Amino acid sequence: MVGGGIVGLAVAARLLESDPERRVVVFEKESAIARHQTGRNSGVLHSGLYYRPGSSKALNCREGKALMEAFCAAERVPLELCGKVVVATDEAQLPALDELERRGRANGVDLERVDAAGLFELEPHARGIAALHVKEAGIVDYVAVCERLAARVTERGEVRTGLRVAALEPGPDGVTVRFESGAPPEHFDVAVNCAGLHCDRVARASGLEWPQRIVPFRGEYWELVPEARHLVRNLIYPTPDPRFPFLGVHFTRMTDGSVECGPNAVLALAREGYRWRDVSVRDTLDALSYRGFQRLAVRHLSMGLGEIVRSISKTAFVRALQRLVPAVRAEHLVRVPAGVRAQTLSPLGALVDDFVLQKDGAVVHVLNAPSPAATSSLAIARRVADLALQP
Ligand SMILES: Cc1cc2nc3c(=O)[nH]c(=O)nc-3n(C[C@H](O)[C@H](O)[C@H](O)COP(=O)(O)OP(=O)(O)OC[C@H]3O[C@@H](n4cnc5c(N)ncnc54)[C@H](O)[C@@H]3O)c2cc1C
């Protein structure tokens, strides 16, 4: 197993659950698990509102959410079904809100449409003309989930940190795992690539012809100072622009009581570039020279520039937040660490929306696992394990 994020750990736990005698090893390049997307996300347990009915995202999110609730109850991991509101701030957003309502109902989500007065009752400081109240949305501590998954894995298997996998070479009788450090290769019956921001590179190094590429989009966050936390009871989201897979900057109460604001979406200048000054020439050239990125950039130039302005200027970020909660002020916000999304982009410049799993001999590659993959991880793990064990 490559990758000690939530997907890799969930798959490893699932493989051991289906056969406790199986030898399962998770290889993680960092010195600890959950250092990247999983440990730097919004901590939301998504309900399945946004996704096209019948899509892999919709199915895995619904199933994964139920599995996550059961897992957290069994393992005593903090999880709270606090509910969220998705707010339309003007008439132009109503068709998109209608479509979300339709999708949500088709996906079986417990939701209610409310007007401005109904919104006021739920979130007194939010402003909007209509909203969806998604009662079953929640918050969860995904790092704690990973710690519990890793504990289950290490009961019989291993999580080996500080080891970067170079390639997974499928052969007639299994898979050879090669490491970048020159550590001796290891042999397994099956292998799974859950390398997140590096999954496309691991796949290509392993011989898979994969024309799509991961483009890293950083999401930056601010946090409300304790005196301003009363402005947000639970989760306040905007009505998302249907042209993008990102949900727009929102307010998220975390399980520790803090309230995060964000994330935006700017091109990261390194796959794990959490600040503007984190630059990898290889990663930047990789993104900028990719036809898919060039097409996307031309198509959405003004949106992209707007995101950059919101990244550089706190005033612009605050203005975006004030559309949802007008009482928020710049002095209420302090910077907190950013996350970087692994977003698969097609050569035609399309942001690949659905989860993508690809089997190549005895190797399964998880090639697109963006949000809500943390919510969906335990369901994705079932699909991946079934695929890996299929003859
Ligand atoms: C800003 C942001 C907000 C989000 N909010 C939410 C949310 O609220 N709810 C939700 O459900 N989802 C959310 N997501 C999505 C969710 O976090 C991810 O979909 C999920 O964490 C993906 O997990 P993963 O295991 O695939 O990737 P990761 O967590 O990135 O794990 C991949 C691991 O692989 C390791 N690795 C990479 N290459 C190698 C190699 N060659 N050898 C060994 N190890 C390697 C990495 O070090 C890393 O630990 C958010 C994501 C971001 C970035």
Side-chain angles (χ1 to χ4, degrees), residues 1 15 22-23 173-175 177 187-192 359 361-364 385 387-390:
M1 190 77 43
L15 286 169
R22 187 175 281 127
R23 177 175 169 246
D173 60 344
V175 188
V177 179
H187 192 81
F188 294 88
D189 293 342
V190 297
V192 183
K359 185 165 162 96
V363 182
V364 177
L387 206 55
L389 300 175
Q390 243 171 40

Side-chain angles (χ1 to χ4, degrees), residues 1-9 27-30 32-46 142 163-166 180 194-199 202 217-221 237 250 252 263-264 272 338-342 355 366 369-376:
M1 190 77 43
V2 187
I6 199 165
V7 176
L9 292 166
F27 297 107
E28 166 55 52
K29 68 180 169 57
E30 302 294 343
I33 57 170
R35 282 285 168 92
H36 294 294
Q37 296 179 90
T38 303
R40 294 167 164 268
N41 66 27
S42 297
V44 173
L45 187 71
H46 284 289
Y142 285 120
L163 261 186
R164 184 187 277 262
V165 171
E180 280 198 358
C194 303
L197 286 151
H198 299 274
C199 65
V202 170
F217 284 97
R218 183 170 60 245
E220 292 153 330
Y221 290 96
Y237 278 62
H250 44 264
T252 312
N264 60 349
E272 287 150 7
V340 178
R341 308 170 183 86
F355 298 144
V366 178
S371 184
T375 305
S376 316

Side-chain angles (χ1 to χ4, degrees), residues 132-147:
L132 297 177
H133 178 211
V134 185
K135 298 173 198 168
E136 58 168 301
I139 50 177
V140 57
D141 182 344
Y142 285 120
V143 173
V145 169
C146 286
E147 282 161 2

Side-chain angles (χ1 to χ4, degrees), residues 160-182:
R160 283 199 229 156
T161 54
L163 261 186
R164 184 187 277 262
V165 171
L168 305 168
E169 291 171 7
D173 60 344
V175 188
T176 303
V177 179
R178 296 196 187 280
F179 303 97
E180 280 198 358
S181 60

Side-chain angles (χ1 to χ4, degrees), residues 273-328:
Y274 296 108
R275 299 161 303 181
W276 280 111
R277 62 177 181 274
D278 296 335
V279 180
S280 149
V281 175
R282 177 192 176 196
D283 292 351
T284 307
L285 289 179
D286 207 27
L288 296 182
S289 64
Y290 179 46
R291 197 117 58 90
F293 179 75
Q294 292 164 359
R295 288 180 164 146
L296 179 85
V298 168
R299 212 175 303 138
H300 298 300
L301 189 63
S302 68
M303 160 77 111
L305 291 175
E307 290 288 346
I308 292 173
V309 170
R310 274 186 288 281
S311 167
I312 298 169
S313 154
K314 185 176 183 182
T315 312
F317 203 103
V318 172
R319 232 179 282 129
L321 294 173
Q322 284 173 334
R323 269 182 230 130
L324 283 176
V325 178
V328 170

Side-chain angles (χ1 to χ4, degrees), residues 214-234:
I214 290 287
V215 175
F217 284 97
R218 183 170 60 245
E220 292 153 330
Y221 290 96
W222 296 82
E223 189 179 289
L224 289 183
V225 293
E227 308 82 73
R229 284 181 186 166
H230 68 279
L231 296 175
V232 176
R233 282 187 182 162
N234 294 303

